[in-house]
Amino acid sequence: MWTERQRAMLAEMGVRVFVQPPQAAPADVLLQDEPMASDPPQSPVADAPPPVPAIARPPRPASAEPPMRMPSAIDTLDWEPLREMVAGCTACALCESRRHTVFGVGHTRAHWMIIGEAPGEQEDLRGEPFVGPAGQLLDSMLMALGLTREEAPPERQVFIANTLKCRPPRNRNPEPEELARCEPYLQRQIALVQPKVILAMGRFAVQSLLRSNEPIGKLRGQVHQYQGVPLVVTYHPAYLLRQPMDKARSWDDLCLAAEVMERGPQAR
């Protein structure tokens, strides 16, 4: 007799099963169910049919969808309800050690959207992304393009956000589960801003947005897409403070993003 689990899995594959399976059933059609640790051992039966070879299951892709999508809870929110939801979020353990959530700043219909990685100590204290020396360098980079985080029209004032809204303890690297839990918030921010170009800064922001494990060095220098929005990859300002020789490459990335803006929708 097939178990309920075996019959359910065979039905999902489109294979008809009967209460008593045919004796001559082809082995390459049937699926051997994987034992669970909680399954009790079964006594052997003398006249039981020979075991059926298992069909190999394809591996789960590395870029699987986040475990909690919650489309009805987040995808319809406007700015203030979204901000309140982020401020009270307890979806992962980072809520236990944060001082402030870091929602984002800038024009809510900005043409440029800057996306970083995770808040640091100063960001956690002030509740604002990209502050301190890294923020000062970012402001200088934006100023060179005629952009600012201060009050200005949407073509000049950027919107700045992070992939994570809470600081990881001791500035450790973000965990994949934490990035997945926070991603719906960022997706909703992008949908509300409707930017004309996204500038992704830092390895974890880039790899999370592009679902890629490639290093920044292999992803920069080209125009990617994120949900239909052109995306340009560059180094995080904190990295550039440690490796100033890469500032020239980062400037090339900013110029590429500016070219995307100048060419207009036909180039995206």
Side-chain angles (χ1 to χ4, degrees), residues 174-225:
E175 298 288 344
E177 176 73 7
E178 295 164 353
L179 292 167
R181 297 284 180 174
C182 247
E183 186 178 34
Y185 298 131
L186 179 62
Q187 288 178 335
R188 184 57 183 161
Q189 288 178 308
I190 295 173
L192 288 170
V193 174
Q194 297 182 24
K196 300 183 185 299
V197 67
I198 293 173
L199 188 63
M201 293 185 148
R203 175 165 63 98
F204 292 101
V206 168
Q207 293 180 346
S208 177
L209 290 167
L210 295 183
R211 294 288 197 273
S212 172
N213 291 323
E214 293 287 342
I216 288 182
K218 291 188 177 181
L219 295 171
R220 54 176 299 276
Q222 52 189 308
V223 180
H224 305 272
Q225 295 286 323

Side-chain angles (χ1 to χ4, degrees), residues 146-162:
L147 304 172
T148 179
R149 72 169 78 195
E150 306 299 332
E151 290 292 331
E155 64 270 16
R156 292 195 57 242
Q157 184 185 9
V158 302
F159 189 90
I160 306 175
N162 281 327

Side-chain angles (χ1 to χ4, degrees), residues 115-128:
I115 299 178
E117 298 180 320
E121 182 178 11
Q122 293 302 313
E123 288 83 358
D124 181 49
L125 289 171
R126 293 175 51 177
E128 181 178 342

Side-chain angles (χ1 to χ4, degrees), residues 68-77 184 188:
M68 280 187 67
R69 187 60 187 88
M70 299 187 298
S72 61
I74 295 178
D75 288 3
T76 60
L77 296 180
R188 184 57 183 161

Side-chain angles (χ1 to χ4, degrees), residues 15-37:
V15 179
R16 294 187 61 189
V17 294
F18 303 90
V19 175
Q20 295 291 339
Q23 295 299 317
D28 60 343
V29 176
L30 303 177
L31 178 65
Q32 177 70 33
D33 194 24
E34 292 181 354
M36 300 291 290

Side-chain angles (χ1 to χ4, degrees), residues 92-98 164 166-169 172 178:
C92 74
L94 293 182
C95 66
E96 300 173 4
S97 58
R98 73 185 179 214
L164 281 187
C166 298
R167 177 199 179 196
R172 63 161 171 75
E178 295 164 353

